[in-house]
Amino acid sequence: MKTAPGLDVHIHWRFKAILPVAATLLAGIALFFWVTLSIPPSDRRTVLLVAAGGAVAICAVLLVVLAVLVHRPLLELREKIARLEQGDLNVTVSFAGRRDEIGELGRSFNAMVRQLRESQEQIQQLHRTQMSRAEHLATLGELAAGLAHEIRNPLAGIAGVIQIIGRDLPPGSPTREILKEVEQEVHHIQKILNELLDYARPKPLQLRPADLNATAERAVSLARQQIASRPIEIEFRPAAEVGLVEHDPDGIQQVLLNLLLNALQAIPREGRIVVEVHNEGSYATVAVTDSGCGIAPEHLPNIFKPFYTTKGKGTGLGLSLARRIVEFHGGRIQVETEVGRGSTFRVWLPKRKIASAAAQT
């Protein structure tokens, strides 16, 4: 029932329950008075007293019944709700065994508390698991970073020795080809170590308002240098009115370049890659679409996991690092793919940094 503005009327449940009964009794009394007009005056007073006593007795019985069957359960429910608000998830009501609407209410309350207790236990278990995993990954990251530093220095020495040996060999020596392959493998190991260090100890990103079109165009320019004589076209479509987007240009350029290199590797022969910047309200998006082989459904759930790769010489860190950078910006990265038709990776970036994004790192 709506009340006038500023007027909060609270009627106790007992009055609400008694009012219909009282109205019925009054109607009965009025009818009774009308009937008693035909009774002789000498007997009329006795009949009225008996009727009034019966009405009072009925009201008293109704009050007692309501107090026992309704008021006590409501008081208990209010007490248990107060304990529940204080964090006690072991509360139950005692009237849940009743076979009426009050009992149904009690069973629903107990079931709700049980579900809350189970949900809390699941959340706590998940939190413990995530904390344990985070500590484990942090330890592995420190170990990997230390090993990478220890390996990189001797590896650089090996690469230098190979170059010296190659210069001293005769021009027509078959060993030159072997050394060239060894040098390529050394560079591959160096690339893996660099990506491992970037993943284990990422460089701090500096978010600032910058031109997202320019950032994407630089990534496209770098990718075009990789295709050499391959019959692959890379088309760039900037957004007309995207405005300044708060982001780290070097970090987002790294993300887009990684997506572009993956797209190049997904195209076996000739093909096309389209990079599009769009304005999506409070977000700006960059989509990288290729006409490559697509991603098989069994690989799709794992492509952003560290060290997961389907390429023979891949490290499996590129997409994982890309997602970490995008999430630092408060954004997200999505993929749409179809086997044999190609894939679209779409990066969503808020135009203004979400305050909680930096706190997560």
Side-chain angles (χ1 to χ4, degrees):
M1 182 178 67
K2 294 183 178 180
T3 60
L7 182 61
D8 185 12
V9 179
H10 178 74
I11 302 176
H12 199 279
W13 67 269
R14 280 178 288 192
F15 291 106
K16 294 180 181 179
I18 291 173
L19 282 176
V21 178
T24 304
L25 286 174
L26 288 174
I29 291 172
L31 179 63
F32 178 77
F33 273 110
W34 183 76
V35 172
T36 54
L37 292 176
S38 60
I39 299 176
S42 59
D43 299 330
R44 191 175 300 169
R45 184 177 180 181
T46 303
V47 172
L48 287 175
L49 289 175
V50 172
V56 171
I58 292 173
C59 289
V61 171
L62 284 174
L63 283 175
V64 172
V65 169
L66 289 173
V68 173
L69 297 182
V70 179
H71 186 51
R72 287 183 181 176
L74 289 180
L75 287 178
E76 181 182 356
L77 183 61
R78 186 171 62 181
E79 176 193 353
K80 297 301 173 63
I81 290 176
R83 290 174 55 185
L84 185 63
E85 290 176 348
Q86 295 174 358
D88 186 0
L89 297 180
N90 294 314
V91 296
T92 57
V93 293
S94 60
F95 54 84
R98 287 174 46 172
R99 299 299 176 185
D100 55 10
E101 288 79 1
I102 299 295
E104 185 176 349
L105 175 64
R107 289 189 292 274
S108 298
F109 177 81
N110 289 347
M112 180 193 69
V113 173
R114 183 171 60 253
Q115 290 176 356
L116 287 174
R117 185 168 57 250
E118 293 173 355
S119 298
Q120 185 188 54
E121 292 173 355
Q122 292 175 359
I123 291 173
Q124 290 176 347
Q125 179 63 33
L126 181 61
H127 177 69
R128 287 192 293 267
T129 302
Q130 292 295 332
M131 290 297 296
S132 176
R133 183 182 178 187
E135 293 175 0
H136 181 64
L137 288 176
T139 303
L140 287 179
E142 292 294 328
L143 178 61
L147 287 175
H149 279 298
E150 294 297 327
I151 294 172
R152 278 206 308 180
N153 293 333
L155 198 61
I158 293 172
V161 171
I162 291 174
Q163 291 177 355
I164 294 172
I165 294 174
R167 286 198 300 264
D168 294 339
L169 288 174
S173 174
T175 309
R176 279 183 173 273
E177 294 298 324
I178 298 175
L179 287 179
K180 187 180 294 184
E181 292 182 4
V182 173
E183 189 174 2
Q184 289 177 351
E185 293 301 324
V186 169
H187 289 317
H188 178 60
I189 296 173
Q190 287 177 332
K191 178 185 176 183
I192 294 175
L193 291 175
N194 290 334
E195 291 188 2
L196 183 59
L197 282 174
D198 288 340
Y199 184 80
R201 293 179 179 175
K203 294 181 293 184
L205 300 176
Q206 301 296 327
L207 274 61
R208 58 182 176 83
D211 188 350
L212 186 60
N213 283 329
T215 301
E217 191 171 13
R218 284 194 298 270
V220 169
S221 178
L222 291 172
R224 283 172 177 161
Q225 299 175 16
Q226 302 290 325
I227 57 179
S229 59
R230 294 182 62 188
I232 298 177
E233 176 190 1
I234 302 179
E235 179 184 355
F236 176 57
R237 300 175 184 173
E241 299 179 355
V242 71
L244 296 180
V245 178
E246 194 168 338
H247 69 288
D248 182 280
D250 292 336
I252 296 302
Q253 178 181 306
Q254 180 183 353
V255 170
L256 298 178
L257 183 58
N258 182 275
L259 297 179
L260 283 164
L261 295 179
N262 286 348
L264 289 172
Q265 294 174 1
I267 300 175
R269 290 180 293 275
E270 63 179 357
R272 190 164 180 261
I273 301 172
V274 178
V275 179
E276 297 179 273
V277 182
H278 289 285
N279 183 17
E280 303 284 350
S282 61
Y283 281 80
T285 64
V286 185
V288 179
T289 303
D290 66 73
S291 59
C293 57
I295 304 172
E298 61 270 19
H299 298 313
L300 197 57
N302 303 311
I303 59 174
F304 291 106
K305 291 182 178 179
F307 306 107
Y308 184 86
T309 180
T310 58
K311 297 176 287 189
K313 292 187 177 181
T315 61
L317 291 172
L319 286 178
S320 178
L321 184 59
R323 185 172 68 172
R324 174 187 287 184
I325 294 173
V326 172
E327 289 179 347
F328 175 86
H329 286 73
R332 64 185 186 275
I333 183 169
Q334 298 173 329
V335 59
E336 300 172 5
T337 185
E338 184 178 350
V339 177
R341 299 292 298 274
S343 303
T344 297
F345 282 84
R346 185 169 282 102
V347 176
W348 294 74
L349 296 174
K351 293 182 179 179
R352 292 293 178 268
K353 182 185 71 172
I354 299 175
S356 62
Q360 293 175 358
T361 61

